[in-house]
Amino acid sequence: MSKAEEFEELRPLLFSIAYRILGSVGEAEDAVQETWLRFDGSATRPTSVKAFLSTAVTRISIDVLRSARVRREEYVGPWFPEPLLSDPYDDPVRSVELADSVSMAALLLLERLSPLERAVFVLREVFGFGFDEVAAAVGRSEAACRQLLVRARRHMEAGRPRFAADRRERQELATRFFDALKDGDVGGLRELLAADVQLVGDGGGKAPQLANAVVGAEKVARVLGAYYPWLVRIDVSCEPHEVNGQPGAVFRDRDGRVTHTLVLDVLDGRIQTIRSVVNPDKLGHIGPVGDAWALHHEVKRARRRPAPGPS
């Protein structure tokens, strides 16, 4: 097997490690590409290609995360991970850990960890690496890695989401939600939402976004019911799609360009959190990006038009 073939076989794993450490599709892809360059340029053949590549992508991701954190401190409004429509890495033995770890709620919890804690947690808890492998990847002793993992677990357990609903139940609830959303059915939306539901958006100062989180079933239902039917009227389509392992949707303008995504956290048969990613910088990997500001102004103009009188 050639170097390129060995690398391509492991690419899904490398991307999945990098994405969970970085929370960014673009940065994860860049980390994987840099890993390939290091592998291709190495004069000696490693004893374990998987260990070499995993170590390289982890260390690159840790370095990128350290600089990214400075930028995130200056971010305008709430920061969310870039939406991931499908995880390229699949391991039936660890399917539960993989699905849970890629949810936006879990990735936001990972943001609380130091870069080293995050890397250790991802390698050990998500991908099941042995402590010897983790220690080699992050350049610390096994004892130090065990301590890093203890601290990481403590932070994660303090706020870890528990998505108890099974896949079919979540999808059925999501279907009802998006049907009610398109119809502007405030009552239908309200009955699907948890009492303390939160609606939060990430526009990064580059797209229309809520000034503050909207909290409470009544308020969230009214905000959604008042806005989304107007998007339908100007030919914005709602494409149901799993986003970060949870039920969600991709919205596109009349020309098929991506305007934003929505993802739903479901708990105890109700929607607990609705997160919208509107920042155009975070949507380019899904497809051509539309102008969310232009759509927002078009909705405002449409809402000001008088209703047609009787014929």
Side-chain angles (χ1 to χ4, degrees):
M1 187 182 291
S2 68
K3 262 191 173 182
E5 289 171 331
E6 286 180 300
F7 181 83
E8 287 305 316
E9 189 173 88
L10 289 165
R11 181 189 287 271
L13 171 63
L14 302 178
F15 173 85
S16 295
I17 290 172
Y19 177 76
R20 285 164 175 80
I21 294 175
L22 293 166
S24 165
V25 172
E27 289 175 346
E29 289 174 341
D30 289 345
V32 172
Q33 181 60 25
E34 176 63 24
T35 300
W36 159 249
L37 293 176
R38 292 188 185 184
F39 181 49
D40 188 44
S42 61
T44 59
R45 190 171 189 82
T47 304
S48 168
V49 173
K50 178 183 176 182
F52 176 90
L53 295 177
S54 299
T55 295
V57 81
T58 297
R59 293 187 178 184
I60 291 166
S61 298
I62 289 172
D63 289 342
V64 172
L65 181 59
R66 284 173 174 149
S67 60
R69 288 203 156 180
V70 176
R71 298 193 303 273
R72 290 175 193 176
E73 289 175 1
E74 302 171 351
Y75 196 80
V76 179
W79 180 92
F80 293 158
E82 290 183 11
L84 184 68
L85 300 191
S86 61
D87 187 354
Y89 181 70
D90 180 39
D91 180 358
V93 176
R94 306 194 65 80
S95 59
V96 174
E97 292 89 345
L98 290 169
D100 180 57
S101 66
V102 83
S103 72
M104 283 210 175
L107 290 171
L108 288 171
L109 282 177
L110 284 170
E111 284 290 304
R112 301 179 184 180
L113 308 182
S114 72
L116 275 178
E117 288 171 346
R118 186 165 181 165
V120 168
F121 185 89
V122 166
L123 293 175
R124 177 64 182 172
E125 294 292 285
V126 179
F127 294 97
F129 279 49
F131 274 108
D132 57 334
E133 298 171 301
V134 175
V138 302
R140 295 292 188 274
S141 68
E142 290 189 35
C145 288
R146 290 180 189 276
Q147 287 302 311
L148 287 165
L149 182 62
V150 167
R151 291 201 297 269
R153 281 175 175 165
R154 188 181 303 128
H155 286 296
M156 294 297 288
E157 290 298 329
R160 181 183 288 277
R162 299 295 183 187
F163 303 119
D166 64 31
R167 190 181 186 89
R168 176 179 291 183
E169 181 184 346
R170 285 185 301 156
Q171 292 303 326
E172 288 176 352
L173 190 148
T175 297
R176 292 169 59 198
F177 172 83
F178 286 113
D179 286 344
L181 188 69
K182 289 181 283 187
D183 294 339
D185 180 359
V186 173
L189 288 168
R190 189 191 305 113
E191 71 178 26
L192 301 173
L193 304 175
D196 58 349
V197 64
Q198 291 191 46
L199 171 62
V200 194
D202 174 353
K206 300 182 178 183
Q209 68 184 69
L210 298 164
N212 298 293
V214 181
V215 181
E218 184 66 30
K219 290 181 180 179
V220 170
R222 290 192 177 280
V223 168
L224 295 175
Y227 190 73
Y228 273 85
W230 289 98
L231 290 180
V232 174
R233 294 186 193 187
I234 61 171
D235 300 323
V236 172
S237 64
C238 172
E239 177 185 296
H241 204 295
E242 196 168 83
V243 180
N244 288 81
Q246 303 299 317
V250 176
F251 290 79
R252 300 180 186 271
D253 64 18
R254 61 174 61 91
D255 296 317
R257 296 173 300 186
V258 179
T259 61
H260 65 290
T261 63
L262 278 185
V263 60
L264 313 176
D265 286 350
V266 178
L267 182 66
D268 297 330
R270 291 289 186 272
I271 296 168
Q272 193 71 40
T273 310
I274 304 166
R275 294 187 177 88
S276 173
V277 176
V278 195
N279 186 341
D281 295 345
K282 296 186 175 185
L283 301 172
H285 61 283
I286 299 174
V289 180
D291 187 338
W293 277 116
L295 283 179
H296 181 67
H297 293 314
E298 188 174 349
V299 166
K300 289 176 70 175
R301 289 193 298 270
R303 295 175 75 170
R304 286 198 297 264
R305 294 188 197 115
S311 56

